[in-house]
Amino acid sequence: MADQRAEQIIVKKRWNMARNWPLHFMLIPAVLFTVVFQYLPMAGLVIAFQDFKPWLGITGSKWVGLANFRFLFLYPDIQQVIWNTLVIAFFKIVAGLFAPLLFAVLLNEVRSMGFKRVSQTLVYLPHFLSWVILGGILLDILSPQGGMVNKLVIAFGGQPIFFLGDGDWFRFTLVFSDVWKEFGFGTIVFLASLAGINPALYEAAEVDGATRFKQTVHITIPALMPMAVVLATLSIGNILNAGFDQVFNLYNPLVYEKGDIIDTFVYRMGILNGKMSFATTVGLFKSVVATVLIVISYRLAYKIANYRVF
């Protein structure tokens, strides 16, 4: 009986494969792209264990074992760089979850469909702009000499603020501009969750005399909480990714102390200073820690919200 059951399963799998072969064929370009650009370059990680010299290549460079890792943990700036990364990433994650959730709840209360569509379109647009473009815009409007924002500050009796030259203000600028750029796109997830709420719940609450505010507090927000928990849990895996594109286009030597993150530090060490072995070591260290955090975050998402990818 067991052999017959196993044979039926095998036949069914073969039938599904024969039926869906066009879908599997369409995956080939994506698989090749991933192998060529994601997995083959990993062979270069051997540089982290060498005193790499570009003119000697990987095969000719001296093997130093874990010396680069010992140097990494003794490097005077590495602790500050890691701390900057964690702080910036943490506030981006928190604000990046709260802003789209709040906007989705507010948009859900709007009755005019035309206003809803226009609002959604306007807040989605910044997501499709690169940080190269937005970086130039922010440099212009945040300039302490003639920038639009500082003109408003002066008009209200304040002193000009060097948003991109003061470390504390630079962190605030990073978080605020990142949320402004991405919260509209992130709202899509919460709007999809709102679409799944049973309208009968609102009708029953209205019959019981619940106001719109109480309906929001006791129906809408609880319905969004599982998705918010999943997103917050999965964000743990990205705690070491504070946004290279954004920081690279906005930072300068004046804010290295509080604005330099792991990715920009690797860029400076490897590309600008030519310390390729050290830069690879930092990148490998970050990747290993991020992998562990991703595994933990998926396990937490499964335990807390019963979310699983496979």
Side-chain angles (χ1 to χ4, degrees), residues 85-95 239:
T85 305
L86 293 175
V87 170
I88 293 171
F90 173 79
F91 283 107
K92 280 187 177 182
I93 290 171
V94 173
I239 194 69

Side-chain angles (χ1 to χ4, degrees), residues 232-275:
T233 305
L234 296 180
S235 296
I236 296 175
N238 290 319
I239 194 69
L240 294 181
N241 293 321
F244 171 79
D245 291 346
Q246 180 193 22
V247 178
F248 179 74
N249 283 284
L250 294 177
Y251 85 149
N252 57 77
L254 294 176
V255 294
Y256 280 173
E257 183 180 356
K258 293 190 176 181
D260 197 18
I261 61 175
I262 294 176
D263 291 332
T264 54
F265 180 73
V266 168
Y267 167 78
R268 290 207 326 278
M269 291 295 104
I271 304 300
L272 300 184
N273 296 342
K275 299 178 180 179

